[in-house]
Amino acid sequence: MSTHARSIAKSALVVASGTFMSRLLGFARDMVTAYALGAGWAADAFFVAFRIPNLLRNLFGEGSMTMAFVPVYTRTRQESGEPAAHATARSALAWLVVVLGALTLLAELLAGPITALMAPGFADNPAAQDLTTGLLRITFPFALSICCVALCMGILNASGKFLAPALAPCVLNVCLIATGLGAVFLHLSVPHALAWAVLVAGVLQWLLQQPFLRGIGFSWRGPWAWRDPGVVRAARLMVPTLFGAAVYQLNIVLGTVMASFLAEGSISYLYYADRVVQFPLGVFGVAVSTAALPSLAALAVQGEGEEFKRTLNAGLKLSLFICLPATAGLLALSEPVTRLLFGRGAFDPAAVAATSQAMMA
């Protein structure tokens, strides 16, 4: 195994460890959500409202922006030095705040039409539509904060720091667990409480990254420019990566749209099934890709094509070594896994059966 491949394996282990902890908390979060909300129309409303800012996060945050930013940041640092790379990061933050801030304001004004677009089947249930619209107005600013968090994670990953970014989602999970249980025992509106928890968690995740950024010598105070060359290069790279990231997100959107016309709880069944499927993908697949990207970017800048190929092949083999057996396991154990994780409280046996079928598919 080459030096770069060993480095990727070591970094992937760090990312996988942090992600594993986050995913365990994520399962606890989903167990609490299933216990408190079940799989009725109130749960469907919350998941639609939460899915929309998550869509932007996956497209512009941890999706295309990170894939475009890390190679540009790495190249700028190698060619022009640390100060120029830091200026590029500050400039990227300015653009994120302006673009996503404008989208957030627009979403607050058009929350009703957005809900009708994402879940047109809710038109037959005015209560679900009104609840989703209200929840969306609370959760949408999460997209702005979490995309800024993704920028911080890109800076840290490019600097060889992987643990803090991997642990960031733990904050969201802890907030939702505590808020969900508190809402049940205090007899509060569970969907509204969870929506506010999402908003607070986005801010807390941003604050969590700041000490680690200072630890690598980075500060948000300093030179930046609207037309920073690195930001221009990253914007150009985002176009193809945006299409790549959009393919999976389009599947989710279409699934949500079609499920809104089905029986009550169908959106929730798909959500819970996807959460289980995301476990091996998040712990191992994303860990390997996150750890590999800085090394691959550096090799590309240095023009080491053969080593780039060997490193990429090692990453693919490492991913398949875990993900193929995990796929077989989830197919064989879909129902007992669903029952073990979610089958309690408001999540009845019919919800268990429907969720396990969605998981197999």
Side-chain angles (χ1 to χ4, degrees):
M1 183 181 288
S2 68
T3 302
H4 286 285
R6 284 196 296 270
S7 175
I8 289 173
K10 182 178 179 181
S11 299
L13 180 61
V14 173
V15 177
S17 300
T19 307
F20 182 72
M21 184 180 300
S22 172
R23 293 290 171 169
L24 287 181
L25 284 171
F27 277 137
R29 176 191 94 188
D30 292 330
M31 291 166 68
V32 169
T33 305
Y35 170 79
L37 279 178
W41 63 265
D44 288 351
F46 171 72
F47 292 137
V48 170
F50 187 30
R51 181 157 286 166
I52 294 172
N54 251 341
L55 175 67
L56 290 179
R57 182 197 73 176
N58 291 324
L59 282 177
F60 299 108
E62 297 170 4
S64 61
M65 189 199 70
T66 301
M67 288 187 284
F69 175 77
V70 171
V72 168
Y73 183 87
T74 302
R75 179 178 178 178
T76 302
R77 186 173 57 188
Q78 290 191 357
E79 294 180 348
S80 306
E82 204 84 29
H86 290 182
T88 294
R90 296 187 199 103
S91 304
L93 179 68
W95 276 105
L96 271 179
V97 171
V98 169
V99 173
L100 290 174
L103 283 177
T104 299
L105 290 175
L106 193 63
E108 295 295 322
L109 295 173
L110 301 176
I114 292 172
T115 298
L117 182 66
M118 282 291 294
F122 284 4
D124 295 332
N125 188 346
Q129 190 165 28
D130 291 344
L131 177 60
T132 307
T133 301
L135 296 178
L136 177 60
R137 288 196 171 101
I138 299 172
T139 60
F140 199 93
F142 174 76
L144 172 60
S145 60
I146 206 62
C147 286
C148 293
V149 170
L151 177 63
C152 298
M153 295 164 69
I155 298 169
L156 290 169
N157 288 343
S159 303
K161 306 297 181 183
F162 297 97
L163 184 58
L167 290 175
C170 293
V171 176
L172 173 65
N173 294 329
V174 169
C175 286
L176 289 174
I177 290 169
T179 303
L181 291 174
V184 170
F185 291 114
L186 295 175
H187 304 290
L188 303 175
S189 170
V190 176
H192 286 92
L194 292 176
W196 284 109
V198 168
L199 182 60
V200 171
V203 176
L204 292 179
Q205 287 183 74
W206 163 264
L207 295 175
L208 173 67
Q209 305 303 310
Q210 304 316 305
F212 296 95
L213 289 172
R214 289 194 293 270
I216 62 170
F218 180 86
S219 173
W220 292 111
R221 295 181 179 180
W224 65 279
W226 288 115
R227 303 191 71 174
D228 181 271
V231 172
V232 174
R233 284 199 300 269
R236 290 172 180 167
L237 286 175
M238 275 186 68
V239 176
T241 56
L242 187 62
F243 283 106
V247 171
Y248 179 68
Q249 300 307 317
L250 181 61
N251 287 337
I252 293 177
V253 170
L254 292 177
T256 302
V257 169
M258 290 187 287
S260 71
F261 290 101
L262 301 179
E264 178 184 302
S266 296
I267 292 174
S268 301
Y269 304 149
L270 289 174
Y271 170 83
Y272 289 118
D274 184 62
R275 289 291 297 167
V276 179
V277 171
Q278 289 292 321
F279 183 78
L281 175 63
V283 173
F284 301 107
V286 174
V288 172
S289 64
T290 300
L293 184 57
S295 295
L296 291 172
L299 290 171
V301 170
Q302 296 161 12
E304 299 185 23
E306 290 303 316
E307 184 61 24
F308 182 97
K309 292 177 184 178
R310 285 194 292 270
T311 303
L312 180 60
N313 284 334
L316 290 172
K317 290 175 182 177
L318 191 58
S319 296
L320 292 173
F321 178 74
I322 298 296
C323 290
L324 288 178
T327 301
L330 288 177
L331 282 169
L333 301 173
S334 61
E335 187 165 352
V337 166
T338 303
R339 190 184 308 112
L340 174 66
L341 291 175
F342 308 125
R344 60 188 58 84
F347 206 86
D348 57 26
V352 170
T355 302
S356 66
Q357 291 173 5
M359 189 191 307
M360 291 177 67

